[in-house]
Amino acid sequence: MVVKVSLRNVSNFALRDVSVDFLPGEASIVVGPNGSGKTTLLKVIAGLAPHNGDVYFNENRVNSLPAYKRNVLYVPQKSALFMHMKVWDNVAFCLKVRKIDNDAAAEKVRWIMRRLSIEHLSSRYPSQLSGGEAKRVAIARALVCNGNPLLLDEMESNLDYNIRVSISEEVLRLARELGLTLVMVTHDLDWAFRKADKIVYLWSGRISYSGPPGLLDPLSIEPEALAWLGSVLRAEVFINDDFSYALINGFKVPLNQVFANEAMSASKVYISSRDALVDEHGKIEGKVLRKVIIHGVERLIVDIGDGVIVAKNTSMSINIGDKVRIKVLNAVPLKT
Amino acid sequence: MYPAYLFPPFSRVASSFMDPKYINIVLDNLGLTLVRAFLGFVIGTITGILLGLFFVGLRLSDYIQPIATILFVIPSVAWIPLLILWVGLDSFKLPITAAFMCCFPPILYGMINASRTIDQDQVEVAFTLGASPWEVLRRIVLPVSLLKLFPIIKTEIIMVWKTTIVVEMVALSSGLGHLLLMYSLVIDVRHVLSTIMVFSLVMISIIELVDSLEKKVVTNWLGEHGGKGFA
């Protein structure tokens, strides 16, 4: 299903002039700072946020369809399980309200619970689940419905990193297997840049970039937005058993270990603004193009010749045009 | 020091329950009081819950809440003089209406407030799962609100009981309240106290019954843990 969103604004002005398409089989990952409109975008598609503009599912305009008739699969940030129902009844909820035959419903519920490894939880109540289990149940409750697209809001911050990554990977696999159009919101920029077929970057309620991660041109983004996001640049990537790295301006930058094994053919890397620091012992040298302050921390947009890097500056007084040295802690290899 | 006719010993009060004549009188009047209180309570509670759901479903709860609050804070016995004028001294209409006026406003108020505290994410998810507004009311709002309404319901049972007895004392010629008044007019303190004991015993039994019902419902809906983390 092709989902097309074309908005002038939403009622709370969390989004303005947004136009974006989500394609079937494509993992579209929405990123942006708090309050940039990520959740609102999902709610507009789900029919939960009043808006001025149009939403199309394939060629059908669905503006007038209420949420309960849109047949989308929505997993909110908090799992929002129904606390007065057992896990089984939570998962079977949409089949019950659609009056699906009991045997067929039970078979579907068993299938999705097996796929998400939550069969053993079926007779528990939500308050007896861990955060990761609750998230799996919420995903199962959505996926059992045979809908499309799958809208997944960010995982709760209290979830362990490894659990978050493993659930997210599983969702990606399932979405591909079921041929779903996936729109996923995350705060994990490294994971998003590595896994996304399409990045949708929201900044102050507008789309700052929408496209494959590898095609992001940092200098086409407004400086404040770039300073939050970080940068994408060309780099040679070397995978070794002991040390995998990207060669940037002739210097080795370690690859994010989570993705190092998947990075065989990467030719571009993403470096978040969190992982690049101005440091007099840094090996990469560049010229400061812009200075931006975000949340009280100065971030420099630095031209290193092969591209730009956004680096945090917490110590030195630096002016535009100055030469600085940068230490990069971590690079994420992008899909080619 | 104290005259026995004003302060009879407990043994003498308790011995009233061995007197078949007294027992018969009490049971006759207790039956009437229970029926009056029960009918008023049931009608008031069901009306409060249904109207509350109706207003919540139509998103009118913001407009209704001030009215519900005003009705809620009026002492139920303050309605009695008006109700006497409006429904007369009918031995059923009057106490049932008074019992209704006692429990309907708090239940309506509680229902509106309970449904307001329901996690909006749960409601939104229910919609995306295909639940119509009616299904959301029935499957999410109603059970969650009822669980939160139980403490109010328990309080209102006691209030309805008290109100019914007051109505019987001031306006009717039957029921436990009337019986109590009659005994006090003839300064039969022994039977006044034994009748007060009947009030308490009946109320304690009803509270125990509702407690066990609440436990059963909460266990059914939320499991043995009783809704730990229930939002």
Side-chain angles (χ1 to χ4, degrees):
Chain A
M1 175 192 283
V2 179
V3 176
K4 189 177 163 69
V5 180
S6 177
L7 300 176
R8 287 183 292 285
N9 59 50
V10 293
S11 57
N12 61 359
F13 296 100
L15 288 172
R16 280 160 297 165
D17 305 321
V18 165
S19 183
V20 61
D21 293 353
F22 300 104
L23 304 178
E26 196 178 71
S28 301
I29 301 186
V30 183
V31 297
N34 289 336
S36 58
K38 304 185 293 294
T39 298
T40 307
L41 179 60
L42 294 192
K43 288 191 174 183
V44 165
I45 298 171
L48 297 168
H51 58 270
N52 292 319
D54 296 316
V55 179
Y56 292 90
F57 288 177
N58 289 330
E59 294 303 314
N60 305 317
R61 192 162 166 267
V62 294
N63 293 22
S64 56
L65 270 189
Y68 64 94
K69 287 187 178 164
R70 288 201 184 187
N71 207 16
V72 300
L73 313 176
Y74 174 58
V75 182
Q77 183 178 0
K78 291 186 282 166
S79 300
L81 297 178
F82 307 129
M83 304 301 280
H84 58 295
M85 295 180 199
K86 289 181 179 173
V87 165
W88 177 278
D89 296 318
N90 263 281
V91 176
F93 185 86
C94 91
L95 304 174
K96 262 187 202 160
V97 296
R98 287 170 195 186
K99 301 189 170 48
I100 306 286
D101 166 69
N102 273 351
D103 291 342
E107 197 175 319
K108 282 207 80 175
V109 172
R110 265 196 294 276
W111 168 76
I112 194 66
M113 288 179 84
R114 210 168 29 243
R115 283 304 309 264
L116 285 158
S117 312
I118 52 170
E119 297 152 291
H120 60 293
L121 306 174
S122 64
S123 57
R124 290 200 202 161
Y125 281 88
S127 58
Q128 297 167 302
L129 305 178
S130 69
E133 288 170 339
K135 195 45 125 182
R136 280 172 190 278
V137 173
I139 292 166
R141 181 179 61 178
L143 285 176
V144 81
C145 296
N146 260 356
N148 206 357
L150 171 58
L151 310 172
L152 197 86
D153 209 341
E154 60 194 279
M155 305 274 177
E156 282 151 283
S157 51
N158 59 1
L159 281 186
D160 193 73
Y161 178 76
N162 291 330
I163 291 173
R164 260 190 293 157
V165 168
S166 94
I167 297 175
S168 304
E169 302 269 345
E170 217 162 323
V171 169
L172 282 186
R173 259 198 309 276
L174 269 166
R176 285 207 177 98
E177 187 185 313
L178 301 171
L180 301 174
T181 304
L182 172 66
V183 186
M184 190 172 183
V185 167
T186 184
H187 265 305
D188 187 345
L189 292 173
D190 283 2
W191 191 86
F193 270 84
R194 174 63 205 165
K195 299 292 176 180
D197 296 313
K198 177 191 245 176
I199 285 280
V200 176
Y201 176 35
L202 287 171
W203 176 261
S204 297
R206 289 195 164 88
I207 291 183
S208 180
Y209 174 74
S210 167
L215 295 186
L216 185 143
D217 173 10
L219 293 176
S220 70
I221 296 178
E222 57 183 304
E224 287 77 11
L226 181 65
W228 184 88
L229 185 70
S231 182
V232 167
L233 63 162
R234 196 167 287 284
E236 239 181 310
V237 167
F238 296 88
I239 309 296
N240 299 308
D241 288 342
D242 53 343
F243 180 59
S244 299
Y245 60 91
L247 209 55
I248 298 174
N249 269 15
F251 295 102
K252 293 176 182 175
V253 171
L255 290 183
N256 185 321
Q257 286 308 299
V258 178
F259 313 114
N261 294 334
E262 310 168 4
M264 300 305 283
S265 57
S267 61
K268 284 191 171 179
V269 291
Y270 162 72
I271 297 171
S272 90
S273 58
R274 195 188 57 235
D275 288 328
L277 315 165
V278 174
D279 184 335
E280 55 186 307
H281 304 299
K283 295 197 170 126
I284 300 170
E285 197 180 54
K287 193 170 126 191
V288 177
L289 296 180
R290 287 292 294 255
K291 295 201 304 181
V292 178
I293 293 179
I294 293 182
H295 303 314
V297 177
E298 187 176 75
R299 296 182 196 213
L300 308 177
I301 298 170
V302 181
D303 182 358
I304 61 163
D306 280 351
V308 297
I309 288 181
V310 179
K312 267 201 297 195
N313 176 31
T314 52
S315 51
M316 294 174 236
S317 169
I318 293 166
N319 297 313
I320 292 171
D322 286 356
K323 289 210 163 166
V324 288
R325 290 186 163 278
I326 300 166
K327 184 177 176 184
V328 180
L329 306 174
N330 192 29
V332 175
L334 300 186
K335 287 193 229 172
T336 47
Chain B
M1 189 173 174
Y2 300 104
Y5 73 94
L6 282 183
F7 296 94
F10 180 74
S11 56
R12 194 165 149 63
V13 174
S15 70
S16 303
F17 295 108
M18 311 300 272
D19 174 5
K21 197 176 150 203
Y22 174 72
I23 297 278
N24 277 341
I25 294 173
V26 163
L27 287 180
D28 284 351
N29 287 286
L30 173 64
L32 281 174
T33 308
L34 278 175
V35 168
R36 289 163 178 164
F38 178 77
L39 286 177
F41 171 76
V42 168
I43 298 170
T45 302
I46 291 176
T47 313
I49 290 172
L50 292 182
L51 268 185
L53 271 186
F54 176 75
F55 292 133
V56 169
L58 292 182
R59 297 171 191 270
L60 292 173
S61 47
D62 282 351
Y63 306 102
I64 297 301
Q65 209 207 14
I67 300 167
T69 308
I70 290 168
L71 291 174
F72 174 44
V73 297
I74 296 173
S76 55
V77 289
W79 292 105
I80 296 172
L82 270 181
L83 293 178
I84 290 173
L85 294 175
W86 289 341
V87 300
L89 293 171
D90 186 280
S91 63
F92 276 95
K93 277 189 206 160
L94 178 62
I96 290 171
T97 319
F100 173 90
M101 287 312 295
C102 173
C103 69
F104 165 71
I107 298 287
L108 176 66
Y109 176 85
M111 192 69 196
I112 288 172
N113 278 313
S115 56
R116 277 182 168 182
T117 60
I118 290 174
D119 181 3
Q120 276 311 298
D121 281 348
Q122 287 187 29
V123 172
E124 288 182 347
V125 166
F127 279 129
T128 64
L129 292 170
S132 63
W134 159 244
E135 290 276 6
V136 170
L137 279 180
R138 187 166 79 87
R139 294 179 186 271
I140 310 293
V141 178
L142 180 63
V144 172
S145 303
L146 280 185
L147 288 167
K148 293 184 175 176
L149 210 58
F150 255 109
I152 298 177
I153 289 176
K154 280 199 286 188
T155 311
E156 289 319 308
I157 286 175
I158 300 169
M159 294 308 294
V160 162
W161 182 245
K162 290 178 179 174
T163 304
T164 309
I165 283 165
V166 170
V167 171
E168 288 171 345
M169 286 176 84
V170 301
L172 297 182
S173 54
S174 59
L176 278 187
H178 173 72
L179 189 66
L180 184 76
L181 188 69
M182 288 299 107
Y183 284 131
S184 61
L185 286 178
V186 295
I187 320 180
D188 184 352
V189 178
R190 172 192 167 204
H191 282 124
V192 168
L193 289 173
S194 55
T195 308
I196 288 174
M197 279 173 71
V198 173
F199 290 168
S200 306
L201 289 171
V202 170
M203 206 60 257
I204 289 167
S205 313
I206 291 174
I207 290 170
E208 285 297 318
L209 199 74
V210 174
D211 269 343
S212 60
L213 181 72
E214 181 188 14
K215 272 186 200 126
K216 207 169 172 186
V217 171
V218 170
T219 308
N220 262 351
W221 285 353
L222 295 171
E224 293 299 332
H225 60 296
K228 187 165 66 70
F230 174 64

